[in-house]
Amino acid sequence: MALNRRDFLKIAAAGVGAAGAADTAKALQRGPKPMPPEALGMLYDSTLCIGCKACVAACKEANDMPPEHTGQAEAIWDTPVELSGKTLNVIKVYQDGDMEQKDREVNGYAFVKRHCLHCVDPSCVSVCPVSAMTKDPLTGIVEHHADRCIGCRYCVEGCPFAVPKFEYNEAFGQIQKCQFCSHLQAKGQIPACCDVCPTGASLFGKVSDLSEEARRRLAGQAGERYVFTRGELGGDRPPHEAKLADYIKDIYGEKQLGGVQVLYLSAVPFEKLGLPTNVPEYSYAAIAEGIQHTLYKWMIAPAVLLVGLLYVVRRNLGRRGEAGNESGADQSSDRGQS
Amino acid sequence: MSAHEPVGGRLLTKPFMVFAVLAMIGFAILAARFFFGLGAVTNLNDGYTWGIWIVIDIMIGTAFGCAGYSVALLVYLLNRGEYHPLVRPALLAGLFGYTLGGMAAVIDLGRYWQIYTLFMPWYAQFNSIMLEVAWCVTAYTIVLWIEFTPTFLERFGLKNLRQKLSKVLFIFIAVGILLPTMHQSSLGTMLVALGYQVSPLWQTQWIGLLFLVSAILMGYAIVPFEGILASMGLRRPVEGELIARLSRIMFVVLAGYLIIRFADLIARGALGLAFAGDLDAVMFWVENLLFVVPLLLLVQAGNRSSPRMIFIAAISLLLAGSVYRINAYLVGYHPAGGGWHYFPSVPEMLVTVGIFSLEVVAYLVFVKKLPVLHRA
Ligand code: SF4
Ligand code: SF4
Ligand code: SF4
């Protein structure tokens, strides 16, 4: 039985269909999600951050998280270097050359704060099978609920910012991630990191106000005096005055991956701070859901397929005279037919 | 009267004992996982949270388990009744592939004691591809056991029940074709949400189709693989004629797979990465050469009637599909933030070996004691 030309043409046609893949990409995508109406968030200004890690300590205390000893096991103080099952918020540093000057790309250094960015279209919420990740429809805060989580860790794989972490060394571990101190907010307080930040590098507020504030900073001249708010935008804490840095003229997080509610300002390129920049302006959740919704809308396609299968299978069984006598053929007469 | 019969013979042979011991070692190690957490046994870390228990035990295990699905496609959908003697052994491969894949999933779940939430409709999150996979795989495992039930009923002489079941069996056969079509593609589509973390050599919106077609291929490859091994190990005649015909079908599907795979790479402009000279590129070529070898072997009509050549082609295909899955989820996956490495720990590997050994042990028990293989 040699393969003939017709077979090959059939296969080739299938291949051409796949080549059209690029065009269908957009068609398969579901639309973007809007910013929630009363979205709360944070503005982290890397140029204001002095790396004091008061926010890291405050986070541990507010959320009752254990200290972490990285490197020297003897260390008696908390030394997290990355987010983990014990650490919801961490300060990292970018360094280059002799690190002579802060906020400079070459021979300089800069700080960056890592925690959940409370995405507008969060992958973690989209991938979780049991609704253990939720996004508040009003404030947009993304919360994890351990009481129903099965620990599949799809959220860990799916988060584009590597935020959710699992407790691997516990018999009954759970997922840990920044919940934006929702328990403090319920009492009328602000997230612990913003509360203790001495410079206003971590600033709490409504996302719309925060992005206006960010724009004001970008509009100013580098070196100009500027009054920086501390704690909460619009709050009544004493501000402090400092020089505006030589910012990268862009706000990270307004567009990337469908937008996030924690915005970043920096004087070194965002990718140096470990923020993914080579990414689309839509969330990957929009593509994944788009494909699934196209295939499984109202379960119509599977239902139609099933009806077709029922019909064909039944007919084929009947044809061979074995209707109702199936799975592994009892008649030896079924050999040699086609 | 059945056209199938138990192979019979002694059960406690040497290979049987070896695999049984391996299975026991694997399960002894698992105790540590339950007492001290996943980290005590595996090398999973904050970057690579899915390891070989997910990629090998579940993804590759169930793809091997597609034998039942692939043969059902032929026999019941394309009405190629001549392949019928292959149905039961293929179903058996599916039965174990899926049952043990499901078991591995529970072992790997970080919070397995809450697994019931997966099946509580009020917790269901319908955008989650994981949810669809979980439901489909569970349902299909049940369907496989039902499809296999006639074998038990025959063995224990329950004629009446056997006949009643026969009347509705076509429903389970149809569902048994639908479900793998859904979840084998979804196992691939699950990767889409990982976005930029997966190299463009594997990240594509068509990955669902590629996972499905490669799973069908692996399903076909299992049939001659298992058949020829059984004929050597259990001294059974090879279903030579059938396997030769099957290999032609394998060839056609394989050619289709490779055309889609490369057309997609070219259309997305991602093929350049295959020449980057890094580990991704090397593994990409290993994977695709393993796909091309069986293509070259099976293109020659002569080889398609040589059990030896078909056996080699089948092994190459099984490896190819396995490497494809490992590449997509582990090698080509570069977790956000960077700086993470993963290579499975020895205990982690022993658990995987244990699970596969349990599969072999169960296979031997079943074919020796139940009417699975076609009468010689
Ligand atoms: S940063 Fe990660 S964990 Fe936080 S909302 Fe976005 S996807 Fe979820
Ligand atoms: S680990 Fe928990 S929260 Fe994360 S996706 Fe799985 S069930 Fe959801
Ligand atoms: S408290 Fe403020 S200044 Fe100190 S490390 Fe945190 S963000 Fe930076």
Side-chain angles (χ1 to χ4, degrees), chain A residues 37-95:
Chain A
E38 289 161 39
L40 293 172
M42 199 188 297
L43 173 62
Y44 171 79
D45 189 331
S46 166
T47 68
L48 290 178
C49 180
I50 52 171
C52 68
K53 298 185 193 162
C55 53
V56 179
C59 175
K60 292 245 157 160
E61 202 184 323
N63 294 290
D64 217 359
M65 299 301 280
E68 188 161 8
H69 306 300
T70 318
Q72 333 95 293
E74 314 291 289
I76 47 167
W77 57 85
D78 186 27
T79 53
V81 292
E82 233 325 335
L83 297 182
S84 75
K86 293 177 177 167
T87 301
L88 310 180
N89 163 22
V90 75
I91 296 289
K92 300 187 68 157
V93 61
Y94 159 75
Q95 357 184 325

Side-chain angles (χ1 to χ4, degrees), chain A residues 127-130 132-133 144 149-155 175:
Chain A
V127 300
C128 178
V130 293
M133 290 282 187
H144 172 68
C149 166
I150 56 171
C152 67
R153 314 189 300 287
Y154 196 3
C155 55
I175 292 284

Side-chain angles (χ1 to χ4, degrees), chain B residues 173-288:
Chain B
I173 294 173
V175 174
I177 294 177
L178 175 72
L179 291 175
T181 311
M182 289 167 68
H183 66 244
Q184 282 299 335
S185 59
S186 292
L187 280 172
T189 309
M190 262 171 49
L191 197 81
V192 172
L194 274 51
Y196 75 95
Q197 302 179 96
V198 177
S199 159
L201 284 174
W202 293 280
Q203 183 61 281
T204 160
Q205 308 193 354
W206 291 84
I207 190 156
L209 182 63
L210 290 166
F211 260 58
L212 177 63
V213 179
S214 59
I216 293 175
L217 276 171
M218 290 162 82
Y220 283 137
I222 274 287
V223 174
F225 176 75
E226 184 189 305
I228 291 170
L229 274 187
S231 75
M232 295 190 311
L234 304 170
R235 303 215 169 72
R236 311 245 331 151
V238 192
E239 304 272 2
E241 164 73 5
L242 274 187
I243 285 177
R245 290 210 225 170
L246 186 67
S247 67
R248 182 175 177 274
I249 294 172
M250 267 162 60
F251 175 81
V252 175
V253 180
L254 176 55
Y257 169 84
L258 281 169
I259 290 171
I260 304 172
R261 179 82 166 101
F262 280 87
D264 169 61
L265 281 170
I266 293 165
R268 286 184 297 111
L271 200 55
L273 288 171
F275 303 96
D278 53 6
L279 182 67
D280 282 14
V282 172
M283 288 305 290
F284 171 84
W285 287 114
V286 169
E287 164 199 326
N288 284 292

Side-chain angles (χ1 to χ4, degrees), chain A residues 274-303:
Chain A
L275 293 164
T277 48
N278 191 13
V279 288
E281 292 194 352
Y282 49 80
S283 166
Y284 294 112
I287 321 178
E289 287 183 25
I291 296 175
Q292 276 316 81
H293 291 181
T294 310
L295 291 175
Y296 294 109
K297 185 143 198 207
W298 307 118
M299 293 303 279
I300 291 175

